[in-house]
Amino acid sequence: MSVRVGLIGAGVMGADHARILHDGVPGAVLAAVHDVDPARARALAGECGGARVVDDAAALVADPGVDAVIVASPDDTHGPLALACIARGKPVLCEKPLAAGLDSCRTVVAAEVAAGRRLVQVGYMRRFDPGYLAMKAALEDGGLGPALFMHCVHRNAVAAAYLTSEGVIANSAVHEIDVARFVLGEEVAAATVISPRASARAPGRQPQLVVLETVGGTVVDVEAFVDARYGYDVRAELVCENGTVALAPNPPVALRHDGRDGFALSPDWRGRFAEAYRAQLRAWVGAVASGRPTGSSAWDGYAASVTAAACLDAHRSKTRVAVVLGDRPPLYGRV
Ligand code: ISE
């Protein structure tokens, strides 16, 4: 029997999830869509197999024809909707962040712990990217020895005018926070942030250099620059005691066109991480069907948000700030 998925939020990411689900996630069907703009919900539902349009987000969660929910609505709705799904015992794939604000993140974790089972997966899709998975496998294989550095680059071609210097950390670099915890299998102990001047094209926000120290002593540096113009560019290299492992810099084919010889870059994350998004949805649907959770947990979502908040403190105070997570509930196993 197919998992009947309800989608809340038919914007950029919601539409992407709906299309991937419709195009081919075995064992799942898009059953219902809600958006604050009903016309947008109707258009997406029509494009993706004619799902029902539901007027109200709470009604979609409660709908007996919906087995599991994708939340891709604005950040401040994530926490309340995750709580509603937990209360109904419905699995939820929630776009990042887990919730707006650390108190709200803690409330979601506490509700899940009280429910006694993992229902929340946070959409940190890089955990399903073949490159990061291979990097993690290479580290775990042991031949490279312990990791010393993880060097990361996160560049967007363009970003919304409203994105601030803080948003560069909380909205973009937070992906490196999550994936560094995933690859290294460790929590972050402290954060420092250094900011260059703003670029002329975006005088209202500065690029950021985030430096994280893990509890085991690995240093992770992240250049986050959302006005790079030339394309979407994400890189990572792990430097270990006996060697290095890096994400392959180029797609499988090189292009000669228009007087140039080189590699095409995606304009944004949907193309660069297309495989990761598909694998994430497949894994989530598999987890819903089997009852064995996967991906970034509510605790991972909380830890990423606490670490991002420490980075924001470090950015404001220009000091090194400790990351304090508190005790990890047994429900979540190890990092
Ligand atoms: C965006 O919100 C995302 O989540 C993308 O994955 C990230 O690369 C981008 O920088 C963010 O703005």
Side-chain angles (χ1 to χ4, degrees):
M1 226 182 73
S2 276
V3 173
R4 297 166 301 175
V5 176
L7 171 69
I8 300 176
V12 172
M13 285 320 302
D16 206 51
H17 288 310
R19 289 178 191 128
I20 295 171
L21 203 65
H22 183 57
D23 281 355
V25 173
V29 60
L30 184 66
V33 180
H34 164 76
D35 192 273
V36 284
D37 175 356
R40 188 160 75 162
R42 271 196 300 278
L44 184 63
E47 190 191 323
C48 298
R52 274 181 300 121
V53 172
V54 178
D55 288 346
D56 179 64
L60 183 140
V61 174
D63 194 311
V66 168
D67 304 314
V69 179
I70 297 176
V71 172
S73 41
D75 292 2
D76 61 347
T77 65
H78 294 186
L81 289 171
L83 288 175
C85 290
I86 294 169
R88 296 261 169 196
K90 292 193 181 177
V92 53
L93 174 63
C94 178
E95 267 301 322
K96 65 148 226 308
L98 169 63
L102 298 184
D103 284 345
S104 191
C105 289
R106 285 187 194 100
T107 307
V108 175
V109 169
E112 206 180 40
V113 168
R117 62 187 176 122
R118 277 183 51 189
L119 290 162
V120 179
Q121 182 177 329
V122 186
Y124 284 114
M125 76 297 180
R126 293 187 185 186
R127 289 175 178 239
F128 297 91
D129 176 70
Y132 285 111
L133 284 166
M135 179 180 275
K136 183 173 174 62
L139 180 65
E140 285 172 358
D141 171 68
L144 288 174
L148 298 171
F149 293 104
M150 184 169 174
H151 302 299
C152 307
V153 167
H154 184 153
R155 297 188 194 138
N156 289 6
V158 288
Y162 59 75
L163 195 83
T164 59
S165 295
E166 287 75 19
V168 172
I169 295 170
N171 186 51
S172 294
V174 71
H175 277 286
E176 273 76 17
I177 292 174
D178 179 71
V179 87
R181 290 178 64 253
F182 172 67
V183 168
L184 299 170
E186 290 183 64
E187 294 296 2
V188 175
T192 311
V193 176
I194 305 172
S195 320
R197 61 179 173 75
S199 67
R201 285 199 184 90
R205 59 178 163 245
Q206 290 165 280
Q208 304 294 338
L209 181 69
V210 173
V211 180
L212 309 170
E213 296 162 65
T214 70
V215 291
T218 303
V219 172
V220 180
D221 57 274
V222 185
E223 176 212 298
F225 176 34
V226 298
D227 299 287
R229 310 291 291 185
Y230 65 86
Y232 184 73
D233 191 6
V234 165
R235 305 183 206 167
E237 181 189 26
L238 209 55
V239 180
C240 303
E241 292 186 19
N242 305 325
T244 71
V245 54
L247 299 181
N250 297 316
V253 287
L255 198 65
R256 285 183 167 183
H257 178 63
D258 208 14
R260 288 170 196 272
D261 178 358
F263 295 89
L265 286 169
S266 294
D268 71 26
W269 54 91
R270 286 168 296 171
R272 164 64 181 82
F273 287 110
E275 219 172 317
Y277 280 116
R278 185 173 299 279
Q280 172 180 252
L281 265 187
R282 289 190 170 177
W284 178 64
V285 166
V288 171
S290 69
R292 282 192 298 279
T294 181
S296 180
S297 67
W299 176 265
D300 293 316
Y302 160 72
S305 291
V306 171
T307 308
C311 292
L312 293 177
D313 275 358
H315 169 68
R316 271 188 296 270
S317 63
K318 302 199 187 321
T319 60
R320 176 178 179 273
V321 172
V323 176
V324 183
L325 291 177
D327 290 338
R328 184 184 176 97
L331 178 67
Y332 299 107
R334 299 187 46 221
V335 186

